Amino acid sequence: MTNQNTISRESDLSGGEYKWGFVTDVETDLAPKGLSEDIVRLISAKKEEPEWLLDYRLKAYAHWVELEKNDAEPTWAMIDYPGIDYQDIYYYAAPKGTNEAPKSLDDVDPEMLETFEKLGIPLQERAALAGVAVDAVFDSVSVATTMEKQLGELGIIFCSFSEAVKKHPELIKKYLGSIVPYTDNFFAALNAAVFSDGSFAYIPPGVKCPIELMTYFRINTEGSGQFERTLIVADKGSYVSYLEGCTAPFRKTSQLHAATVELVALDDAEIKYSTIQNWFPGTKEGEGGVYNFVTKRGRADKNAKISWTQVETGSAITWKYPSVILKGDNSVGEFFSVALANNHQQADTGTKMIHIGKNTKSTIVSKGISAGKGNNTYRGQVQIMPGAENAVNHTQCDSLLVGDECGAHTVPYIEVRNPTARLEHEASTSKVSDDQLFYLMARGLSEEEAHHMIITGWSRDVIKELPFEFALEASQLLKVSLEGAVG
Amino acid sequence: MLEINNLHASVVDIEDSQILNGIDLKIGKGEVHAIMGPNGSGKSTLANVLMGRPDYEVTDGDVTFDNESILELRADQRAHLGMFLAFQYPAEIPGVRPWQFLKAALDSKAEARGEEKMSVRNFSKLFDEKVEAVGINPTLVKRSLNEGFSGGEKKRNEMLQLEVLQPSLAILDETDSGLDVDALRIVAEGVNSMRSPERSFIVVTHYQRLLNYIEPDVVHILVKGKIVKTGGPELALEVEKDGYKEYLDAAAAGANA
Ligand SMILES: Nc1ncnc2c1ncn2[C@@H]1O[C@H](COP(=O)(O)OP(=O)(O)OP(=O)(O)O)[C@@H](O)[C@H]1O
Ligand SMILES: [Mg+2]
């Protein structure tokens, strides 16, 4: 069951290099390259969206056009890349035959199923056995959702975003853009205009979701951007743990991924959101790779809690700051992150904790690993608003250097507007020491195993926050991602 | 088992840094050799060179283990052959549990030798047994490897690894330093219980006291990177009484001659 799965994924990893670089040969329904109002309309029409959603997209698009005109693509991050040509990207790609959602797995293209198989996604019975519900997103269209029924009995909704638009428009209408408005930033505007698909989850009041909800995203069509849109609403007193894993095929050209994720934790609710991001990092020479520009934010109401845990080993560029608005009194926000930048990868990632309610508490643990010519930047903001009596933040920010051509940077912003706040900030930079390596090797571990053990040990505070199977995968990913950087 | 011939070693990338100046040593199967010598005489360097630490460079001579030269082998390969070094200053590895580390070490060794890996269940049993045997506080092994361990706790942890890994040649670099009386007895009992016709030991120590518990077959005095005298257990008693002055003077005279 779960084990089997994990093992098959592990064996994929053992050989090193990027193992997810296969392309699925499925006929694809492609809209022409480039972005225009027509394309936005086409996407909406293909998805048979209601008028209000088309309006929303068009407003977002108009806003984005303004931003683009004014050169408002953000440039403050410590990343360096050739400009993105937004007219050279496919904004809609759907595997043919999936315009109508498959009724059962038998209706799904076998080749596609094989792709998921290779990715180790526990679809079919394996999903049920593993206790994982999968909403698998293939390019822009969600192809299969498992365990929907079992969850349905508890009143839990877990489906693709497009399906939710059709079946639960009132929820989407209420929450879409409520946490990340399209005016938030350049990429959020772009996403709101052209978002393809993603997941939607709703947990009714008082319900503890009994399984981990899980989504695998995958960019398949060459030159296509993926604009994932995910919304999770945990109603009062509910609990949900959501897992997201990402891979993309090996391409010499760069691919754009601009996602938006919104979390709403109503009073006394808790959302745990875990990500393993393993998009294609580009070749060793720095060609290709995914440009990952992501806006993730959650709102925690009274006594609610939101935890972001991320292991970021992929992408050529990562621009990502999962944040929590601590709106309600006693709400809690957490951010646990391991980001690895090897070869020519650049990661600029961190979090924002915005304390609004009284007695709000946030914890930030960021571990940045730089290897090869990689560059890793932690960028974090802790904001204590005037009404946030007795707010507490603890930030721990560690960097680990492997080799001497890489870079680690820390950019913490702190804004305190209430004198009762208590903030702690710890930061450290270390290197894998020769003493440690020799100690482990003298016991029989290879140099690579020794590095791996030191690095996963060092990342332990974050990895232990992940659900078990994910923790194993995260550790394996760190190993594979570091190959070539050591020895 | 182990033969050291005319071994010269210096620190990589530091000129004129020769530390070992021609060491000859032959350790037969089942023998226990003690090495004593003043601070800075090269005892730890010798131990590290034997184990393959890359900071040192062998400039002359050879070391064979079971009649094969090991100088070209990496530390992990030497470990797989059955060599073990209990460190004078064990490294701290944050976030790594002793259990996890030892299991990985044992697995690597089994894999390299084409043997079957020990099951998690059997390993856990063995581990718990040995934890009790070396008297490590069980809460300690739930912490990070050596991190924040006291000096004595680190040494006991080295003993734990020795007992789990069961090497055929164990080099103990001052494993008795900083130990309380009880711990000292545990180290000695550990070594004595592992003594067998198939297993050899090199015990580096400053104290004759340890040798009361572990009776060595041979005692060597190492001064300025050379073995200046070899004898039986009585040699340790002599040193305890007279110190190293005689040897140091002789070495100085030799250098001036
Ligand atoms: N990596 C190194 N770089 C520079 N000098 C070194 C290095 N390793 C050892 N030395 C020097 O070589 C000499 C021998 O050191 P070593 O640690 O082998 O002594 P020892 O006999 O073990 O001493 P002690 O009894 O104090 O443990 C010392 O002068 C030491 O400073
Ligand atoms: Mg020493």
Side-chain angles (χ1 to χ4, degrees), chain A residues 255-368:
Chain A
Q255 285 174 287
L256 174 66
H257 178 250
T260 299
V261 175
E262 297 176 281
L263 308 184
V264 183
L266 298 178
D267 293 358
D268 304 297
E270 178 175 350
I271 301 176
K272 201 172 153 53
Y273 193 107
S274 314
T275 305
I276 289 192
Q277 185 266 110
N278 182 32
W279 297 118
F280 181 51
T283 64
K284 281 206 172 74
E285 293 73 37
E287 283 176 292
V290 169
Y291 291 179
N292 195 29
F293 293 89
V294 176
T295 307
K296 286 183 162 166
R297 191 176 304 151
R299 188 190 80 209
D301 289 353
K302 217 168 109 194
N303 305 322
K305 176 175 174 182
I306 290 179
S307 290
W308 298 101
T309 305
Q310 60 174 27
V311 174
E312 304 275 327
T313 60
S315 293
I317 289 175
T318 300
W319 180 98
K320 180 178 167 186
Y321 316 91
S323 306
V324 183
I325 302 167
L326 298 135
K327 180 163 171 275
D329 293 350
N330 312 314
S331 57
V332 175
E334 294 177 335
F335 174 73
F336 300 99
S337 169
V338 173
L340 179 142
N342 190 10
N343 296 323
H344 291 266
Q345 281 177 279
Q346 307 174 58
D348 192 300
T349 183
T351 183
K352 263 195 249 180
M353 293 290 174
I354 301 159
H355 292 252
I356 298 171
K358 296 186 178 65
N359 308 314
T360 44
K361 202 178 150 202
S362 62
T363 303
I364 299 171
V365 179
S366 161
K367 303 261 178 183

Side-chain angles (χ1 to χ4, degrees), chain A residues 132-407:
Chain A
V132 177
V134 180
D135 175 23
V137 177
F138 195 84
D139 282 339
S140 308
V141 176
S142 174
V143 274
T145 302
T146 48
M147 295 197 65
E148 207 176 321
K149 236 176 81 195
Q150 289 91 321
L151 293 172
E153 279 156 20
L154 287 167
I156 295 170
I157 303 167
F158 180 48
C159 60
S160 73
F161 196 89
S162 327
E163 196 180 332
V165 168
K166 292 195 177 110
K167 291 196 184 152
H168 310 283
E170 67 301 336
L171 286 171
I172 301 290
K173 222 169 167 171
K174 183 165 173 190
Y175 292 109
L176 175 68
S178 68
I179 311 296
V180 181
Y182 63 76
T183 50
D184 192 78
N185 69 68
F186 183 85
F187 295 105
L190 179 64
N191 176 285
V194 301
F195 65 83
S196 31
D197 213 336
S199 291
F200 173 73
Y202 170 80
I203 321 297
V207 172
K208 312 269 177 238
C209 184
I211 55 170
E212 319 265 4
L213 303 181
M214 177 165 171
T215 306
Y216 256 83
F217 291 97
R218 181 164 163 79
I219 301 175
N220 193 56
T221 307
E222 186 150 20
S224 75
Q226 178 148 322
F227 303 93
E228 165 208 343
R229 184 94 202 183
T230 284
L231 171 61
I232 297 174
V233 180
D235 213 322
K236 290 181 180 171
S238 68
Y239 167 84
V240 63
S241 167
Y242 180 87
L243 316 179
E244 167 196 49
C246 326
T247 55
F250 185 104
R251 304 274 189 212
K252 288 246 159 136
T253 52
S254 301
Q255 285 174 287
L256 174 66
H257 178 250
T260 299
V261 175
E262 297 176 281
L263 308 184
V264 183
L266 298 178
D267 293 358
D268 304 297
E270 178 175 350
I271 301 176
K272 201 172 153 53
Y273 193 107
S274 314
T275 305
I276 289 192
Q277 185 266 110
N278 182 32
W279 297 118
F280 181 51
T283 64
K284 281 206 172 74
E285 293 73 37
E287 283 176 292
V290 169
Y291 291 179
N292 195 29
F293 293 89
V294 176
T295 307
K296 286 183 162 166
R297 191 176 304 151
R299 188 190 80 209
D301 289 353
K302 217 168 109 194
N303 305 322
K305 176 175 174 182
I306 290 179
S307 290
W308 298 101
T309 305
Q310 60 174 27
V311 174
E312 304 275 327
T313 60
S315 293
I317 289 175
T318 300
W319 180 98
K320 180 178 167 186
Y321 316 91
S323 306
V324 183
I325 302 167
L326 298 135
K327 180 163 171 275
D329 293 350
N330 312 314
S331 57
V332 175
E334 294 177 335
F335 174 73
F336 300 99
S337 169
V338 173
L340 179 142
N342 190 10
N343 296 323
H344 291 266
Q345 281 177 279
Q346 307 174 58
D348 192 300
T349 183
T351 183
K352 263 195 249 180
M353 293 290 174
I354 301 159
H355 292 252
I356 298 171
K358 296 186 178 65
N359 308 314
T360 44
K361 202 178 150 202
S362 62
T363 303
I364 299 171
V365 179
S366 161
K367 303 261 178 183
I369 301 163
S370 314
K373 292 182 164 57
N375 251 303
N376 216 322
T377 302
Y378 166 79
R379 188 180 302 278
Q381 182 173 8
V382 178
Q383 209 173 2
I384 313 287
M385 304 305 272
E389 291 291 314
N390 302 316
V392 177
N393 166 266
H394 177 81
T395 299
Q396 186 192 330
C397 189
D398 301 322
S399 307
L400 186 70
L401 303 174
V402 183
D404 35 359
E405 282 183 281
C406 52

Side-chain angles (χ1 to χ4, degrees), chain B residues 39-40 42-45 48 88-89 173-174 204 206:
Chain B
N39 292 133
K43 302 180 298 295
S44 295
T45 303
N48 279 287
Q88 183 175 5
Y89 303 110
D173 190 1
E174 293 199 34
V204 174
H206 283 297

Side-chain angles (χ1 to χ4, degrees), chain B residues 15-254:
Chain B
E15 273 187 48
D16 298 326
S17 62
Q18 187 151 301
I19 302 172
L20 304 183
N21 300 308
I23 292 192
D24 293 294
L25 202 62
K26 215 171 168 167
I27 294 165
K29 263 195 179 157
E31 291 177 0
V32 175
H33 288 231
I35 297 181
M36 302 182 80
N39 292 133
S41 58
K43 302 180 298 295
S44 295
T45 303
L46 174 61
N48 279 287
V49 167
L50 291 179
M51 203 63 221
R53 189 177 176 111
D55 307 46
Y56 301 106
E57 185 177 16
V58 171
T59 50
D60 201 1
D62 197 7
V63 179
T64 64
F65 185 77
D66 288 340
N67 301 319
E68 301 275 348
S69 174
I70 56 167
L71 291 182
E72 296 299 316
L73 301 183
R74 298 183 313 262
D76 52 327
Q77 294 170 313
R78 300 185 196 201
H80 299 156
L81 286 181
M83 295 177 67
F84 179 93
L85 169 62
F87 285 76
Q88 183 175 5
Y89 303 110
E92 303 190 353
I93 322 258
V96 173
R97 301 280 171 278
W99 188 99
Q100 169 201 2
F101 160 58
L102 259 179
K103 177 81 171 82
L106 210 57
D107 285 352
S108 301
K109 192 167 163 182
E111 199 174 303
R113 292 167 154 244
E115 294 163 3
E116 199 168 326
K117 289 180 187 170
M118 195 182 282
S119 72
V120 169
R121 182 188 304 231
N122 288 344
F123 176 75
S124 285
K125 233 178 82 194
L126 175 73
F127 184 81
D128 291 346
E129 255 168 44
K130 298 299 187 191
V131 164
E132 203 181 313
V134 300
I136 290 192
N137 181 344
T139 60
L140 214 60
V141 295
K142 298 204 173 74
R143 299 215 318 242
S144 293
L145 187 58
N146 292 325
E147 200 182 33
F149 285 22
S150 77
E153 287 167 345
K154 282 184 182 166
K155 297 298 169 75
R156 285 183 197 240
N157 189 37
E158 293 295 291
M159 283 306 291
L160 169 68
Q161 296 174 36
L162 170 67
E163 297 215 11
V164 170
L165 292 170
Q166 298 278 319
S168 47
L169 172 72
I171 307 164
L172 274 58
D173 190 1
E174 293 199 34
T175 306
D176 58 328
S177 292
L179 288 189
D180 61 39
V181 199
D182 295 335
L184 189 68
R185 195 170 300 129
I186 284 168
V187 168
E189 277 167 11
V191 170
N192 286 333
S193 72
M194 286 178 70
R195 250 174 125 148
S196 91
E198 299 301 314
R199 184 173 289 122
S200 315
F201 289 87
I202 298 176
V203 180
V204 174
T205 183
H206 283 297
Y207 306 106
Q208 194 277 328
R209 191 179 54 160
L210 177 71
L211 304 178
N212 284 337
Y213 296 105
I214 306 172
E215 196 175 332
D217 298 301
V218 189
V219 176
H220 307 277
I221 308 293
L222 183 73
V223 175
K224 300 215 164 133
K226 251 182 120 77
I227 289 182
V228 294
K229 186 152 189 184
T230 295
E234 74 289 345
L235 193 52
L237 286 165
E238 256 172 54
V239 165
E240 182 95 339
K241 206 167 99 243
D242 306 331
Y244 297 110
K245 191 168 182 308
E246 172 195 342
Y247 306 111
L248 286 167
D249 288 349

Side-chain angles (χ1 to χ4, degrees), chain A residues 433-447 449 453-454 456-458 460, chain B residues 48 51 53 75-76 79-80 84-85 87 92 94-97 101 104-105 108 146 158 161:
Chain A
S433 82
D434 292 345
D435 275 342
Q436 292 173 322
L437 277 175
F438 180 59
Y439 188 72
L440 299 187
M441 287 181 70
R443 296 291 178 260
L445 273 66
S446 70
E447 183 165 6
E449 285 173 320
M453 185 165 276
I454 293 166
T456 39
W458 184 81
R460 191 175 178 279
Chain B
N48 279 287
M51 203 63 221
R53 189 177 176 111
D76 52 327
H80 299 156
F84 179 93
L85 169 62
F87 285 76
E92 303 190 353
V96 173
R97 301 280 171 278
F101 160 58
S108 301
N146 292 325
E158 293 295 291
Q161 296 174 36

